[in-house]
Amino acid sequence: FKGKLKVNSSAGFLSSNISLNILTKADINKDGKVNIFDLAILGKCWKKSLTEKPECMEADLNEDGIVDKQDLEIFCKHWGL
């Protein structure tokens, strides 16, 4: 899920805005979008276990220790968000 939450609060003369970006796990590079750049990371980590390549932890979307078809299926459900 990706969205923005804005909260306005005021106490007399004081007012503040807070913005919050909620990222989906499929946003592997954490840039706020699920796109080709995330897919490239997933591809680079394809069939790699986390013991073999610990830097692929973000691409292991189902957290089973390997980047594979199950992670790609999760990724595809979030494409374009």
Side-chain angles (χ1 to χ4, degrees):
F1 174 79
K2 181 183 140 196
K4 287 194 177 190
L5 171 67
K6 290 190 178 184
V7 179
N8 293 322
S9 66
S10 62
F13 61 88
L14 180 63
S15 176
S16 63
N17 290 322
I18 299 171
S19 293
L20 174 66
N21 286 326
I22 300 171
L23 304 175
T24 176
K25 192 171 190 169
D27 180 15
I28 298 168
N29 68 355
K30 307 295 184 235
D31 68 352
K33 301 174 219 110
V34 179
N35 57 26
I36 194 73
F37 300 109
D38 302 297
L39 183 59
I41 296 168
L42 196 137
K44 183 176 122 182
C45 294
W46 189 252
K47 294 293 184 181
K48 303 284 191 243
S49 71
L50 297 185
T51 54
E52 178 185 351
K53 203 161 181 155
E55 64 268 27
C56 289
M57 185 172 68
E58 295 297 325
D60 181 20
L61 302 179
N62 67 346
E63 299 178 4
D64 68 351
I66 189 165
V67 179
D68 59 10
K69 180 183 173 196
Q70 294 172 341
D71 301 299
L72 181 59
E73 288 172 354
I74 294 168
F75 178 83
C76 288
K77 289 178 184 175
H78 295 94
W79 179 262
L81 295 179

